[in-house]
Amino acid sequence: MKLRFDNQFARLGDKYSVKMKPRPLPNPKMVSCNLLGAELIDLPSGEMSSEAALNFFSGAEIIAGAEPLAMVYAGHQFGGYSPQLGDGRGLLLGQVRNKKNILWDIHLKGAGQTPFCRGADGRAVLRSSIREYLASEALHHLGIPTTRALCLISSDEPVMREKMETAAGLIRLSENHIRFGSFEYFFYTNQHDELKKLADYVLEIHYPDLGDDDSPYDRMLLEIAGRTADMIALWQAFGFAHGVMNTDNMSILGQTFDYGPYGFMEAFDPGYICNHSDDMGRYAFDQQPNIGLWNCMALGHAMVPLIMPGTIEHMKSHYQARFFECYHQLMRRKLGLETEATSDPELINWLLTLLKDHKIDYTIFFRALSDGCSEYGHDFAEWFDSYHKRLEQEKTAPEQRRQNMRATNPKYILRNYLVQTAIEQAEQGNFSEIDKLLELLNNPFCDQPHFDSYAAEPPEWGRHLEISCSS
Ligand code: AMP
Ligand code: MG
C-alpha cells in the first residue's frame, strides 16, 4: 500500500507531539470501509480490503513514510481548564498529500495508551467508534463541515466501561487535527514562541492568503470564529447536538470534531441535552451558539500574545453577525423562502414554538412541508395562513420551490435508535447494518424507497436513549 506522506506536523518538532507507535489492536477485522474516504487520500478502493491496509490501520505495522505521533493539547472541559490533555488514545499516523495537493491527517482513534492517557486504557469501544464513523459521514452529506471517516476496525480486546465491551479502531481523516485547546496549551504554559509557530503553521497551510496581511493572526482568529459560527448555524438548522463542546473538541477549521454523545433532534425540544452526563445542560441544543462563542473567546484569549487589543471584541460581534446571518438564511431556505422579509425571524420562531409545544419530529415536519403539506392540526392553522401569505411574495414557481426545499430538508437523518440498532447487531458480530446506514446517509435528501422505514419516527424504545460520555 502506497500513500504519499508529507508529515508537516511532525516537522514542527517535539514540543508539539510525542513520536510513538500504536499498540496493535488484537485480532483486527476491517468491518466497514468508506470508499469516499479512500478517494480523499487517493487510495484505490480495492486496497482497502488488503492485508496491508488492515495491518496499517489497526496499528500493527507502520508503512513507509508514516510517522505516528500523539499531539499535545489542553482545553476547557465543561467550563474548567484542564492544563494537560493531548491524544490519550489517538495517534496521528501520518499526513498524506493527495493529487489535489490537499494534506490529509490520518488519525487512528483507539491506538493504545500514550503519555497523555492519564491512566486510562488508550482504547475506544466498538459502540463509540461506530457512532463517530456514521455521524461524521452523515454530517458531511448534509453539507455540515466535519472530520471524515475512512474505516472501522473491530478487535476482540476486552475493555471495561460501565460494562465489559470490546475495543475498536476508527480511522479519522481531517485536513487538520489542531484544536482550540492546542493554542491554549502553549499560551497557558507560557510557551509563546511555540504558540506563534503553531499559528504560523495553521496560517501557512489553511490561510495562505493572510500571510502578507499586516495582522494575519487577527484575521485568522476572525476567520476561525466565522467558520465556527457557520458550522453551529448548520447544527441548529439541521437539529444536531454535539454534546461535548469542550475547547479540546473544537477544530480550528470550524469542523464538527470528536463525536461523543451527540444526538439528532427528533421531537423538537430546544433544551435537548443529548449527553446524559451533562447534568447542568451546559451543552444543551439551544446553548450551542453561545458556547461556540465562549469557546472562540477562549481561543482569542490564548492568542492574546499574537493579536492586537480590541480584536477579541471585534471577533465577538463578527461571530454573532455570522451566526445569525447564516442561521436565518438556512431557516429561510428550509421554508422555501428565497427572498428576505423582516418578518421572517418571527415566522421561524413561531413555527419552532409550535413544533416544541406539540413535540413534532423536526426532520419529518420540514420534509412534509417541502412536499406541500399545508396543515398539521388546528393549532398550526394560523401559522400556515401567515406562511402561505409570505410565500405570495416569492417569485419561485411552486415546483421549483418543492425541489429546492427537498434539497435542503433531509428525508433521512442518523436517528439515535438507528445507530443503536447498528451497534447492538455489531456487538453480536453482525456488521451489515453499518454499511446499510452508510449507504442511506450518503443520500439524505433523495427518496430511497427501499429505506422508507428509516425515515419514520423512532419506536417508543428509541425515543429516550441515554448516551453517556463514556467511550
Ligand atoms: P474525549 O472525551 O474523547 O474528547 O477525550 C478527552 C480526553 O481524554 C482526551 O485527551 C482523550 O485522549 C482522553 N481519553 C478519553 N478516553 C480515553 C481512553 N480510554 N484512554 C486514554 N485517553 C482517553
Ligand atoms: Mg476529545
Side-chain angles (χ1 to χ4, degrees), residues 10 23 25 32 85 104 111 117 135 238 246 269 304 314 359 411-412 419 441 463:
R23 188 157 67 82
L25 283 158
S32 184
L85 295 168
W104 284 97
C117 69
F238 282 101
N246 294 336
D269 169 17
V304 157
H314 183 187
K359 301 188 169 58
K411 176 155 181 176
Y412 310 100
V419 203
L441 298 166
R463 283 172 204 263

Side-chain angles (χ1 to χ4, degrees), residues 336-438:
L337 305 174
E338 306 284 325
T339 62
E340 202 175 322
T342 46
S343 59
D344 290 343
E346 206 182 313
L347 189 71
I348 293 163
N349 288 336
W350 183 5
L351 173 61
L352 293 179
T353 305
L354 283 168
L355 295 179
K356 172 184 168 235
D357 290 348
H358 296 269
K359 301 188 169 58
I360 304 292
D361 188 280
Y362 186 74
T363 302
I364 293 178
F365 177 85
F366 278 102
R367 188 70 178 188
L369 195 69
S370 313
D371 286 331
C373 160
S374 61
E375 55 173 8
Y376 235 81
H378 178 262
D379 292 343
F380 281 71
E382 250 185 276
W383 182 84
F384 271 106
D385 276 349
S386 296
Y387 174 55
H388 291 138
K389 282 207 190 84
R390 172 66 183 82
L391 286 181
E392 285 167 17
Q393 298 169 26
E394 291 286 307
K395 294 196 181 64
T396 321
E399 180 47 33
Q400 182 62 50
R401 174 158 55 242
R402 186 177 108 92
Q403 280 182 31
N404 294 348
M405 287 173 76
R406 283 167 59 89
T408 299
N409 295 309
K411 176 155 181 176
Y412 310 100
I413 53 162
L414 185 57
R415 293 178 180 276
N416 300 323
Y417 87 94
L418 294 176
V419 203
Q420 191 58 31
T421 305
I423 289 170
E424 283 169 18
Q425 292 184 10
E427 286 176 342
Q428 299 304 313
N430 174 5
F431 298 96
S432 59
E433 193 65 17
I434 299 171
D435 283 339
K436 226 183 198 179
L437 287 178
L438 199 60

Side-chain angles (χ1 to χ4, degrees), residues 285-327:
F285 178 75
D286 59 1
Q287 296 304 307
Q288 296 187 129
N290 284 335
I291 290 289
L293 177 58
W294 194 97
N295 289 342
C296 288
M297 303 284 281
L299 173 65
H301 191 66
M303 286 177 67
V304 157
L306 306 175
I307 59 179
M308 293 184 293
T311 298
I312 292 184
E313 273 311 299
H314 183 187
M315 178 197 70
K316 194 171 165 183
S317 48
H318 179 65
Y319 175 97
Q320 282 161 332
R322 275 277 282 265
F323 173 77
F324 282 113
E325 192 193 320
C326 187
Y327 177 70

Side-chain angles (χ1 to χ4, degrees), residues 73 85-89 117-118 120-123 161 249 258:
Y73 53 85
L85 295 168
D87 287 330
R89 55 167 165 181
C117 69
R118 297 175 294 160
D121 58 20
R123 291 305 193 197
R161 295 294 181 263
N249 291 340
D258 242 0

Side-chain angles (χ1 to χ4, degrees), residues 117-179:
C117 69
R118 297 175 294 160
D121 58 20
R123 291 305 193 197
V125 294
L126 179 62
R127 157 179 60 86
S128 65
S129 308
I130 294 173
R131 286 177 57 81
E132 171 152 355
Y133 182 71
L134 290 175
S136 57
E137 289 307 293
L139 262 68
H140 171 72
H141 292 288
L142 289 172
I144 308 177
T146 172
T147 58
R148 301 293 299 277
L150 177 65
C151 61
L152 183 66
I153 291 159
S154 73
S155 162
D156 60 4
E157 182 173 298
V159 169
M160 189 60 194
R161 295 294 181 263
E162 282 95 347
K163 59 177 176 71
M164 215 39 151
E165 303 189 44
T166 54
L170 171 80
I171 296 287
R172 175 162 74 192
L173 302 176
S174 169
E175 288 169 58
N176 201 321
H177 274 76
I178 297 174
R179 306 144 191 265

Side-chain angles (χ1 to χ4, degrees), residues 238-252:
F238 282 101
F240 176 78
H242 179 283
V244 198
M245 293 174 68
N246 294 336
T247 55
D248 50 302
N249 291 340
M250 297 293 291
S251 145
I252 54 96

